[in-house]
Amino acid sequence: MTTAQETRPNTLRWWALGLLALAQFMVIMDTSIIGVALPRMRDALGFTPSTLSWVFNAYVIAFGGLLLLGGRLSDLFGARKLFATGWAILLAGSVLAGAAGNVPVELAGRIVQGAGAALIAPSALTLLMMLFGSNPKELTKALALYGAAAPAGGTAGVFLGGVITEYLSWPWVFYLNVPIAVLALVATRAVLPGGATGTRGTVDVLGALTVTLGLGTLVYGIVRAPEAGWAATLTAVGSGLVLLAVFVVRQAKARTPLMRLSIFRAPRLGAANLAQVFLGAAWIPMWFFLNLYLQQVLGFRAFPAGAALLPMTALIMLGMIALAPRVIGRFGPKPPIVAGLVVLAAGLGWLALVRADGSFWVDVLPASLVAALGMSLAFIPSLSTAISAARPEEGGLASGIVNTGYQVGSALGLAVMTALAATASNDAVALTNSYSTAFVGSAVIALVGAGLAALTFRRQ
């Protein structure tokens, strides 16, 4: 019996990998491309300071909350079909977000974008495993290229958002997705394997809604903590935790659960996903507040602020493609995950020393490169370990879980750091102190992640 890899021309497989990497790049870029445009969106649409962060959170919560559903649908109906459907939904959400004239429509567009991304991401990883899973050496290389697209997309989104915001207008940070989505839809049938049509089963829609509402309520409570007070915060956070607990209980008892809990018995899958959670929780607040520091303290305009983060992008891509596979091959996944999180924490600790009268060359560039090196070391081994631990027929589920871990970590990490860094003053010193607090908090998250990875990873 031949595999999808063996029946696929070798050149075409690498073109397919390029399309899958583009998908990963885009779904992560859409979390960050709005960062530089937020001040202009606030003025145009009437956002308040407390609601502005929901331009980011609406996307991430829909994305993270529906990823498990996307993984399950990928297993049931076929990965290529779900991949194409996700691009169509992302396209529609991008048009809606770009054309929005008020806050509710803008947030609705971001939610639709997140739902599309939640179908694209797990099906893309499933397709990657179909194409390269039978050859461990090629799989490591493919995962390195695919993995490099994620943080590269996050950082490049800030750069592209700066270019678009300064030289076009903020709606184009969403309209940029339209031609790319059309290209992806055309290329999907040409280069991606059809494979099996899927497996039989049902879809736990109620479970998907429960986990999404639970995550959204939890993030809402944390973000509003500085202004809502203890009673409202504890009510929202408690409600979110109850909904997430209900989801877990439902998955344990359901005949066809959205997430089979026993999947975590697979060696290292739980530990690798935990590492992804802490990576997202440390990394995303870093670029969010670093961008604010560049613009609001150092006075960078939109385009220079985005360009200032390009060195990080270049180092991340170099590290993931050239360094991470060699380190994994020599030491296995555990050492680079632990070391990467420690190095990331060191870079964040260095960033915490930023000054109100600082400069890019002294306060930003060296520390950001150290953080980027840590990210490039830890991301690929945790990703590859997580998705290769599950059974082949549950590739979509494993992909959904690992993507969910990163996105949930991103949303919660940013929510917590936003609450910690809250300040009512626009004074440069006050802003710098608040951003420094966020960097310290993110460094602590990375160190805790390193410690848990050291404790939970089993040896081969």
Side-chain angles (χ1 to χ4, degrees), residues 94-101 105-106 170-171 175:
S94 300
V95 172
L96 182 61
V105 175
E106 180 60 44
W170 69 261
Y175 292 148

Side-chain angles (χ1 to χ4, degrees), residues 78-429:
R80 188 174 75 173
K81 183 182 295 185
L82 262 292
F83 186 78
T85 303
W87 275 109
I89 295 174
L90 180 66
L91 189 157
S94 300
V95 172
L96 182 61
N102 55 58
V103 170
V105 175
E106 180 60 44
L107 297 184
R110 290 293 281 168
I111 290 171
V112 174
Q113 281 189 305
L119 300 185
I120 293 172
S123 55
L125 271 174
T126 301
L127 289 162
L128 186 148
M129 294 299 293
M130 289 171 59
L131 288 163
F132 299 96
S134 64
N135 186 320
K137 185 176 181 180
E138 284 195 344
L139 177 61
T140 299
K141 183 178 180 181
L143 283 171
L145 292 168
Y146 178 85
T155 306
V158 177
F159 170 71
L160 291 174
V163 174
I164 292 169
T165 301
E166 184 147 330
Y167 296 110
L168 293 173
S169 60
W170 69 261
W172 283 97
V173 301
F174 303 112
Y175 292 148
L176 174 67
N177 290 342
V178 174
I180 298 174
V182 171
L183 174 64
L185 287 168
V186 171
T188 293
R189 183 167 292 275
V191 302
L192 293 181
T197 57
T199 59
R200 293 184 178 182
T202 58
V203 179
D204 183 11
V205 177
L206 182 59
L209 292 175
T210 302
V211 70
T212 305
L213 287 173
L215 176 62
T217 305
L218 184 61
V219 172
Y220 177 80
I222 296 171
V223 169
R224 286 186 52 83
E227 59 190 62
W230 279 105
T233 299
L234 291 176
T235 299
V237 171
S239 299
L241 292 175
V242 168
L243 285 169
L244 294 176
V246 169
F247 168 75
V248 172
V249 172
R250 179 176 176 81
Q251 300 313 292
K253 295 183 177 180
R255 292 184 59 185
T256 55
L258 187 64
M259 180 179 68
R260 182 178 60 84
L261 298 181
S262 58
I263 193 174
F264 288 101
R265 295 175 186 167
R268 298 187 171 188
L269 187 143
N273 276 283
L274 191 63
Q276 284 279 311
V277 170
F278 280 89
L279 277 171
W283 179 261
I284 293 301
M286 184 206 72
W287 70 253
F288 186 88
F289 287 104
L290 185 56
N291 179 58
L292 291 178
Y293 173 74
L294 288 168
Q295 290 193 71
Q296 297 188 4
V297 177
L298 298 188
F300 282 37
R301 299 191 320 276
F303 174 68
L309 300 181
L310 283 181
M312 278 202 309
T313 302
L315 182 59
I316 286 172
M317 297 187 70
L318 179 63
M320 288 190 175
I321 294 171
L323 179 61
R326 295 183 180 182
V327 175
I328 296 170
R330 182 169 182 179
F331 300 104
K334 179 178 178 178
I337 291 173
V338 175
L341 282 162
V342 171
V343 173
L344 174 58
L348 289 165
W350 195 347
L351 279 173
L353 302 177
V354 290
R355 301 164 297 163
D357 58 348
S359 70
F360 167 74
W361 298 104
V362 175
D363 295 79
V364 175
L365 181 62
S368 67
L369 291 179
V370 172
L373 176 61
M375 182 64 167
S376 66
L377 279 174
F379 189 87
I380 294 300
S382 57
L383 176 69
S384 61
T385 301
I387 66 171
S388 62
R391 300 196 300 254
E393 64 270 20
E394 291 186 316
L397 174 59
S399 302
I401 290 172
V402 69
N403 277 285
T404 297
Y406 186 84
Q407 295 304 322
V408 168
S410 300
L412 293 178
L414 182 58
V416 172
M417 293 308 113
T418 299
L420 287 177
T423 177
S425 174
N426 288 325
D427 176 73
V429 174

